[in-house]
Amino acid sequence: MQVQNKGFLSIEQLQDQYLKQNKSGTSQVATEGQSFQEILENSRARAQGQVRFSKHAAGRLADRNIELTTGQMERLQEGAQKAQMKGIRESLVIVDQLAFIVNIPNNTVVTAMNQQDAAENVFTNIDGAVII
């Protein structure tokens, strides 16, 4: 029965509308353009209390040819933990000659730079700094 003449949708049209909507929802990429694998890895890192890198920060590390040693990663983690204990939300963590801006509540490195890229020595939008 179609009552389309009076501005209502038929049952078939409603079914198509809702069924197509559900199908498209399951095939979409997860929030903020992250794949399922990235979300899974981030949740594992968060559960273990490890610092993880945002897509932007990972790109900066690659662009600037910065490779972190295991010791530097451990010290970065230690710096993030110290910032969390002090109640810092956005922290500058300096490890050797590398500077990291870390979002402490999410335990995520937002950006990274080496000494040459931080030539101005000006860091904004932070509320604390940890030098390790």
Side-chain angles (χ1 to χ4, degrees):
M1 168 161 108
Q2 292 189 1
V3 191
Q4 251 179 334
N5 301 355
K6 297 184 181 180
F8 295 105
L9 298 175
S10 70
I11 291 175
E12 292 83 14
Q13 289 171 325
L14 284 172
Q15 285 175 335
D16 287 343
Q17 181 180 358
Y18 286 106
L19 291 176
K20 287 180 184 176
Q21 182 182 22
N22 289 342
K23 287 180 184 176
S24 64
T26 57
S27 64
Q28 290 180 351
V29 176
T31 59
E32 299 178 20
Q34 293 181 334
S35 69
F36 178 78
Q37 183 66 31
E38 290 171 328
I39 292 170
L40 181 62
E41 289 172 2
N42 288 342
S43 67
R44 283 182 183 163
R46 188 177 298 140
Q48 295 172 353
Q50 296 175 347
V51 173
R52 62 187 194 285
F53 290 84
S54 69
K55 187 180 266 187
H56 174 78
R60 290 287 186 226
L61 289 172
D63 291 344
R64 296 171 176 158
N65 295 320
I66 299 172
E67 292 187 25
L68 297 173
T69 65
T70 304
Q72 288 172 325
M73 278 297 297
E74 288 172 0
R75 292 187 2 238
L76 175 60
Q77 179 67 39
E78 180 186 343
Q81 288 172 348
K82 285 183 179 184
Q84 184 179 27
M85 287 189 293
K86 293 293 183 177
I88 298 172
R89 297 185 52 78
E90 295 288 332
S91 180
L92 167 66
V93 179
I94 298 177
V95 178
D96 298 333
Q97 285 140 13
L98 302 172
F100 302 93
I101 303 295
V102 183
N103 178 287
I104 300 301
N106 294 326
N107 213 21
T108 303
V109 175
V110 179
T111 193
M113 61 197 81
N114 54 23
Q115 189 174 13
Q116 293 82 20
D117 295 321
E120 293 180 19
N121 293 326
V122 176
F123 300 94
T124 59
N125 299 325
I126 62 168
D127 60 350
V130 178
I131 301 170
I132 299 289

